[in-house]
């Protein structure tokens, strides 16, 4: 019968002892610490990463939005020239009070108002009609929607230069077409109302398609049950448009009216490039000079930064008034609905 001879392990040599196994309770504790550390890191990431993602916007807004706003407010209370922007002399409200006696400012304000009306009203009406047509199932509807956005994607400079050629007095295509219906040549760049109509035409051409797509998106959100119920009641498509589409589009129409009004109050590129003299005067007799052009003329041509800052703040106050009117009307619309 074989006998088992258990032999003990040889004693470790001096300096070569095998590492002892750690106690079994230390491994879970290290894992728990690691999990806790990762949990704290995850919590910090969840808490602070949204702020990191939105911080570029706020940094750009502080640099290019809030700082210019505060600087122009401070500069509007001083007499300061473009050649020495750091040399400011306190003027108080003088730059604002002189606006009341400035005939060029009020001329620019009237031009801004009339061009805004001439461009906004036809633009939104045409956009509403185009959106109503595109809302029906048409072949190549995606193509038509892309075509609607093409004028918006075109640069202001290219569009304005093309319209300058179209509205030329001696060689323009508009006068050439009017000649066939017995209308004499019109000086579109030097007469008041023709020049304002021409500038408004550029605005209408650029923004009608953009607003049409906004209306189209709102129309497609209207439940089809409303149209089916109206059709069962014998309503024609015109009555459906009046009694179903328009009431459903009231918030969207209000939004486009406000945005178009704000854009009209800041009109700058179109009248600047339409001027035959390529200046900021808005025509030979300031007949289509807007507030944006007049502000630029005061600040960068006449080099009166204080006056230009005061004009900028009056424009800002006009936008605040427009925003308040929008808020009041939208509240009434929500209450009525």
């Amino acid at each position: 019968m074989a006998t088992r001879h258990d032999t003990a392990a040889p004693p470790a040599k001096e300096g070569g002892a095998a590492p002892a196994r750690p106690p079994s309770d230390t491994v879970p504790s290290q894992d728990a610490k690691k999990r806790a550390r990762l949990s704290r890191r995850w919590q910090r990431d969840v808490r602070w990463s949204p702020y990191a993602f939105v911080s570029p916007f706020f940094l750009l807004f502080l640099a290019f939005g809030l700082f210019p706003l505060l600087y122009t407010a401070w500069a509007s209370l001083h007499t300061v020239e473009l050649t020495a922007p750091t040399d400011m002399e306190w003027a108080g409200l003088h730059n604002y009070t002189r606006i009341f006696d400035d005939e060029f400012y009020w001329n620019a304000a009237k031009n801004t108002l009339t061009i805004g009306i001439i461009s906004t009203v036809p633009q939104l009406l045409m956009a509403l009609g185009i959106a109503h047509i595109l809302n029906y199932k048409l072949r190549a509807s995606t193509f038509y929607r892309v075509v609607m956005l093409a004028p918006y994607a075109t640069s202001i400079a290219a569009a304005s230069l093309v319209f300058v050629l179209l509205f030329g007095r001696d060689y323009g295509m508009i006068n050439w077409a009017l000649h066939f219906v017995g209308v004499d040549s019109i000086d579109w760049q030097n007469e008041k109302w023709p020049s304002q109509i021409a500038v408004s035409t550029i605005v209408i051409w650029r923004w009608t398609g953009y607003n049409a797509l906004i209306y189209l998106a709102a129309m497609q959100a209207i439940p089809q049950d409303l149209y089916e119920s109206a059709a069962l009641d014998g309503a024609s498509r015109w009555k459906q448009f009046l009694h179903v589409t328009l009431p459903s589009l009231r918030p969207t129409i209000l939004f486009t009216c406000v945005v178009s009004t704000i854009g009209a109050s800041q009109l700058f590129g179109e009248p600047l490039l339409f001027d035959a003299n390529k200046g900021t005067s808005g025509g030979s007799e300031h007949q289509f000079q807007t507030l944006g052009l007049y502000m630029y003329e005061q600040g960068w041509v006449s080099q009166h930064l204080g006056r230009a800052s005061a004009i900028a703040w009056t424009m800002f106050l006009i936008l605040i008034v427009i925003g308040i009117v929008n808020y009041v009307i939208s509240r009434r619309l929500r209450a009525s609905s």
Side-chain angles (χ1 to χ4, degrees), residues 97-136:
T97 56
R98 69 178 301 276
I99 288 177
F100 294 101
D101 300 326
D102 190 352
E103 60 177 349
F104 293 106
Y105 175 86
W106 294 110
N107 176 70
K110 292 178 183 177
N111 294 339
T112 303
L113 177 63
T114 54
I115 293 175
I117 294 174
I118 296 173
S119 62
T120 300
V121 176
Q123 172 194 152
L124 297 182
L125 291 177
M126 292 172 59
L128 195 60
I130 293 172
H132 183 62
I133 295 173
L134 293 178
N135 193 32
Y136 292 104

Side-chain angles (χ1 to χ4, degrees), residues 72 76 95 294-300 303-315:
T72 52
S76 66
N95 290 325
Y294 184 62
M295 179 191 66
Y296 185 84
E297 182 184 39
Q298 288 294 311
W300 279 263
Q303 300 184 351
H304 302 314
L305 285 184
R307 297 178 187 177
S309 299
I311 296 170
W313 266 87
T314 59
M315 296 172 63

Side-chain angles (χ1 to χ4, degrees), residues 220-263:
Q220 292 179 344
I222 300 175
Q224 292 297 321
D225 299 341
L226 299 178
Y227 293 102
E228 294 175 359
S229 300
L232 291 175
D233 292 337
S236 61
R237 288 193 171 183
W238 173 246
K239 290 185 177 180
Q240 292 178 24
F241 177 76
L242 291 179
H243 300 289
V244 178
T245 304
L246 285 183
S248 302
L249 290 180
R250 284 188 300 179
T252 307
I253 293 174
L254 177 62
F255 168 76
T256 54
C257 288
V258 172
V259 172
S260 299
T261 304
I262 293 174

